[in-house]
Amino acid sequence: MKHFKSTEEAVRSQSVRELLPKIIPLFAGQKRLFFISVSLLALTTTTALVGPLVLQHIIDVAIPKSDTNELWLAAGIYLAVIALGSVVSYYQAITLFSMGIRIITDLKERLFRHVLYLGLGFHGGHPPGKLISRVENDTETLKELFGDVSVNLLRNFVLFFGILTVMLLKDLRIASYVLIMIPLLFGATFWYLNFMKKYWRETRAQVAIVIGYIAEYMQGMDVIQQFNYQRRARERMADVNMGKYRIDTLSQYIEYGFWAGFIFGEIIAICVVLVVAIQGVVDGTVSLGILVMFIEFIRQMFQPIMELSGQLNFVQRGLISVERVFGILETEISIKDGPRDPSELKFEREIRFENVWFAYEDNAEGEPEWILKDVSFTVQKGQKIAFVGPSGGGKSTTINLLLRFYDPQQGRVTVDGIDIREFPVKAWRELLGLVLQDIYLFPGSVKDNIRVFDNSISDEQVQNVAQIARADEIVGKLKDGYDGELAERGANLSVGERQLLSFARALAYDPPVLVLDEATSSVDPHTEQMVQEAIDRLLEGRTAMIVAHRLSTILNSDRILVIKGGQLVESGTHEELYHTDGVYTRLVKLQFGDKSDQITANLAKAAGR
Ligand code: ADP
């Protein structure tokens, strides 16, 4: 199965010693609940220890005395102890649950907040499905770890040593037989936990793969249906599902096998006690009460060991989730805010690319795979600049650097001579209005989509920019006007309509610089004309950078930059470049054919030359 590889899910494996300092602070905000839990824990442990002691007292003392009153009293105490234990256990469970849920709610929020600020470099390598799995699934696993498991683990440790101490005090000889078995049981448990670790890790990875698969394919539903890809999509799903099924069943087989062996161990321990103690009862050295108490304690002791293994097993799984969650939380935000105050960011003269080198990733030899190679150019305030060139040349990458979706490895981008990295990211991006090829629309009203849920932009402003961008026609078509709901991702709008909305959105912030990644998708002539008019209005009085796919829109730009193979190969106006007989000339001729000369002459005439 080549489609999704587990290696895509690779998360750095960390030791408990590394993870513990990260986990403990998570409890810091929950001191009260933690304290209550631990107190209740002490109480349940005590009741568990007192029960068998009362039982022994009944058998050894109350019954031989034939004292009915004492018998009733002891039975009453026994019952009260058991009842108290149950009530306290209930409250303890509730407290633990609230603690767990609070911790993971905080953690989920932290995780989501962090993901929002991680650069596009990170998101390129972490498709949505896998992030959903980490934010939702892994934190849910942690809920159990932080709630139930952590405190019960403590309880079982205490209970185990409590029982052992009482046993040793009550009958050293019988207790020492039990004692011999303990290292064996623990040894087996630890071996088992270690052995299972790789299975659990793989299970988590497989879960993420399945979720990733579903999320990604659901997003491409139109393509799947258009290409009748359902059957193959189903087969691939069956494949990944099967992968998870196999690893799940295998680990379950091993797990149940181990538990069966463990229960066998318990029976052996009881047999040993019976053999030793019955002999003692016959010889008169051991009382019947002690025998019953020991059997009761052994059952109670195996319970914590068994639970302990189950819980340690859960802790292991939880730790794997901790690794995955912290794997994200510790991913440094690569696009950092600079130290300068936003008020220093003016843009009065020019934006400049200075010898910029950029690679998205390294090649097999670990060398950067340069996508932009030594690119330098200047955009004067008020100019309209167009980027053209063959597809894959690096036009969108240039825009990505300008918007600081990525930072260059070498060289710099400056505004009025200052590196843009010296300003806070937010302040810099506020300067730029971005109009993307395919706008992302949020589920919500038209109004909220135009102002991106920013209530500081008034309804009047929204209407005003919608008119400028010619998006008001769309609004007219919707039943509730500006409050009309858009379907998810704007499914109830045409491509052209979505573009107009995207213009309105860019305008709502009235940015001095507009960055336009021109749509490649063709629209009907009416919309095309509307889009063109809207662009013209949009650009009025602003500095603009346009990635052009259809040259018709940029022929009269102040400057055209031709980017090919990651390099700036030509730069000038249409007329200048057209006559050089270079890359640009070929692009123009490819698009306009015989009309190219005529178009150029018309442009010159319009410009009065
Ligand atoms: P253009 O806009 O001129 O068509 P791009 O800037 O989109 O070109 O792409 C330039 C090169 O960078 C292409 O070879 C493309 O495969 C590569 N590229 C673009 N985006 C990424 C990315 N996120 N990760 C890796 N490579 C990328």
Side-chain angles (χ1 to χ4, degrees):
M1 187 186 56
K2 292 205 183 83
H3 214 57
F4 287 93
K5 290 196 220 99
S6 339
T7 47
E8 285 177 305
E9 263 301 297
V11 178
R12 190 174 71 87
S13 172
Q14 303 184 39
S15 67
V16 178
R17 199 176 307 159
E18 246 180 302
L19 290 172
L20 222 49
K22 298 171 190 170
I23 296 173
I24 292 169
L26 296 174
F27 286 86
Q30 311 299 332
K31 283 196 194 94
R32 197 179 65 90
L33 284 179
F34 190 77
F35 179 72
I36 296 176
S37 291
V38 173
S39 315
L40 293 177
L41 170 117
L43 215 57
T44 46
T45 317
T46 315
T47 56
L49 285 177
V50 169
L53 287 175
V54 178
L55 210 57
Q56 186 229 338
H57 179 83
I58 293 174
I59 296 171
D60 284 350
V61 184
I63 295 180
K65 268 207 268 177
S66 301
D67 182 341
T68 334
N69 282 344
E70 191 173 337
L71 208 57
W72 278 113
L73 183 68
I77 292 176
Y78 186 66
L79 200 70
V81 168
I82 305 267
L84 182 70
S86 308
V87 173
V88 174
S89 293
Y90 166 78
Y91 280 106
Q92 198 204 5
I94 299 280
T95 331
L96 285 179
F97 180 74
S98 349
M99 185 169 75
I101 213 152
R102 280 187 203 189
I103 291 180
I104 63 137
T105 308
D106 285 352
L107 194 65
K108 233 179 252 190
E109 200 185 302
R110 232 174 97 193
L111 205 57
F112 186 68
R113 198 169 54 213
H114 195 70
V115 167
L116 284 179
Y117 286 94
L118 285 171
L120 294 192
F122 170 85
H123 286 282
H126 294 79
K130 294 199 175 128
L131 284 182
I132 294 171
S133 146
R134 297 238 196 142
V135 175
E136 184 54 34
N137 261 26
D138 284 318
T139 48
E140 285 298 320
T141 313
L142 293 185
K143 177 173 80 190
E144 319 235 343
L145 175 65
F146 294 148
D148 224 23
V149 178
S150 58
V151 180
N152 270 334
L153 195 68
L154 203 63
R155 179 187 105 100
N156 284 335
F157 261 114
V158 177
L159 193 60
F160 176 80
F161 287 106
I163 291 175
L164 206 61
T165 316
V166 178
M167 275 183 171
L168 286 168
L169 289 176
K170 282 285 178 181
D171 193 313
L172 196 62
R173 206 167 64 89
I174 307 178
S176 52
Y177 280 99
V178 179
L179 213 56
I180 297 171
M181 295 194 65
I182 288 173
L184 272 174
L185 289 173
F186 273 102
T189 307
F190 282 109
W191 170 84
Y192 161 77
L193 290 174
N194 217 16
F195 178 77
M196 286 307 285
K197 203 170 171 180
K198 55 179 181 292
Y199 290 96
W200 292 322
R201 182 171 287 124
E202 184 58 21
T203 308
R204 300 287 341 140
Q206 292 288 342
V207 168
I209 290 171
V210 171
I211 295 179
Y213 181 92
I214 297 172
E216 276 147 47
Y217 276 73
M218 292 301 133
Q219 285 168 15
M221 203 39 87
D222 43 359
V223 181
I224 290 181
Q225 300 199 346
Q226 162 68 23
F227 286 90
N228 291 321
Y229 182 52
Q230 289 101 327
R231 193 174 56 80
R232 275 169 294 158
R234 226 173 50 215
E235 282 167 8
R236 290 217 157 104
M237 177 66 190
D239 242 10
V240 289
N241 229 356
M242 208 53 203
K244 178 173 171 290
Y245 167 83
R246 276 197 208 100
I247 191 78
D248 252 356
T249 24
L250 185 62
S251 35
Q252 286 301 318
Y253 276 135
I254 304 176
E255 222 161 295
Y256 286 127
F258 183 79
W259 293 132
F262 206 87
I263 290 168
F264 189 64
E266 176 180 340
I267 294 166
I268 292 184
I270 292 180
C271 288
V272 169
V273 169
L274 281 176
V275 169
V276 180
I278 287 174
Q279 191 58 47
V281 174
V282 173
D283 299 345
T285 49
V286 175
S287 72
L288 201 59
I290 294 278
L291 173 69
V292 173
M293 188 204 75
F294 259 89
I295 291 176
E296 190 63 14
F297 270 146
I298 286 181
R299 283 196 25 240
Q300 274 206 26
M301 190 161 87
F302 268 74
Q303 194 61 29
I305 305 183
M306 242 170 108
E307 277 184 30
L308 197 78
S309 324
Q311 279 152 1
L312 283 178
N313 151 352
F314 212 98
V315 168
Q316 290 273 22
R317 286 183 213 196
L319 289 182
I320 292 166
S321 286
V322 174
E323 276 171 11
R324 294 164 59 84
V325 166
F326 279 93
I328 291 185
L329 282 179
E330 285 167 2
T331 306
E332 254 193 71
I333 297 179
S334 50
I335 307 295
K336 294 198 180 73
D337 283 334
R340 282 184 192 252
D341 194 80
S343 62
E344 292 178 54
L345 179 56
K346 296 257 170 32
F347 182 42
E348 281 164 347
R349 298 192 308 276
E350 88 278 303
I351 294 171
R352 199 193 290 257
F353 269 57
E354 296 177 11
N355 309 96
V356 168
W357 290 74
F358 175 74
Y360 285 105
E361 43 202 37
D362 290 347
N363 60 18
E365 284 88 54
E367 302 289 322
E369 189 95 55
W370 296 118
I371 298 291
L372 293 186
K373 300 165 200 155
D374 202 22
V375 172
S376 299
F377 61 87
T378 305
V379 180
Q380 301 291 348
K381 188 173 176 137
Q383 272 191 337
K384 189 173 147 190
I385 302 289
F387 298 96
V388 301
S391 141
K395 303 182 289 293
S396 303
T397 306
T398 309
I399 297 301
N400 283 343
L401 295 188
L402 181 73
L403 289 158
R404 287 204 71 197
F405 289 147
Y406 300 87
D407 283 332
Q409 279 92 355
Q410 288 176 34
R412 54 183 206 151
V413 181
T414 61
V415 54
D416 293 347
I418 305 168
D419 195 324
I420 57 172
R421 283 174 289 203
E422 292 192 25
F423 296 105
V425 182
K426 181 169 177 281
W428 170 244
R429 289 199 186 135
E430 272 170 2
L431 206 70
L432 311 162
L434 172 66
V435 186
L436 279 178
Q437 286 202 14
D438 199 6
I439 180 183
Y440 179 82
L441 292 170
F442 301 94
S445 68
V446 176
K447 186 165 72 188
D448 283 335
N449 262 291
I450 291 179
R451 63 184 180 190
V452 199
F453 302 93
D454 180 348
N455 290 335
S456 67
I457 296 174
S458 71
D459 288 4
E460 288 73 44
Q461 277 170 294
V462 169
Q463 288 176 19
N464 190 24
V465 292
Q467 262 162 19
I468 299 176
R470 288 283 163 93
D472 48 345
E473 266 192 36
I474 312 167
V475 181
K477 281 203 280 182
L478 292 169
K479 191 159 62 68
D480 298 318
Y482 283 94
D483 289 316
E485 290 288 314
L486 294 179
E488 198 144 344
R489 292 163 168 243
N492 54 350
L493 298 178
S494 74
V495 177
E497 289 170 335
R498 287 212 292 271
Q499 278 177 22
L500 296 179
L501 268 189
S502 128
F503 295 161
R505 183 186 281 175
L507 278 181
Y509 287 86
D510 196 20
V513 184
L514 264 187
V515 179
L516 219 106
D517 202 342
E518 200 192 55
T520 36
S521 36
S522 45
V523 289
D524 63 275
H526 171 67
T527 320
E528 161 100 41
Q529 200 194 340
M530 277 193 7
V531 168
Q532 192 51 51
E533 280 175 26
I535 292 183
D536 290 343
R537 291 183 188 205
L538 209 63
L539 300 186
E540 254 169 39
R542 292 175 215 276
T543 312
M545 284 174 242
I546 308 164
V547 171
H549 301 279
R550 285 163 304 179
L551 298 180
S552 54
T553 50
I554 54 98
L555 292 174
N556 55 5
S557 308
D558 295 310
R559 207 141 55 87
I560 296 167
L561 305 177
V562 184
I563 299 188
K564 188 184 171 199
Q567 283 174 312
L568 184 62
V569 288
E570 290 165 22
S571 149
T573 62
H574 169 81
E575 263 187 287
E576 286 163 8
L577 293 182
Y578 186 68
H579 297 298
T580 56
D581 207 16
V583 180
Y584 181 71
T585 323
R586 283 199 292 284
L587 284 174
V588 174
K589 291 202 166 147
L590 203 66
Q591 199 153 104
F592 300 110
D594 296 343
K595 295 195 201 120
S596 308
D597 287 344
Q598 185 59 43
I599 286 172
T600 311
N602 287 352
L603 271 173
K605 205 173 348 157
R609 284 189 289 271

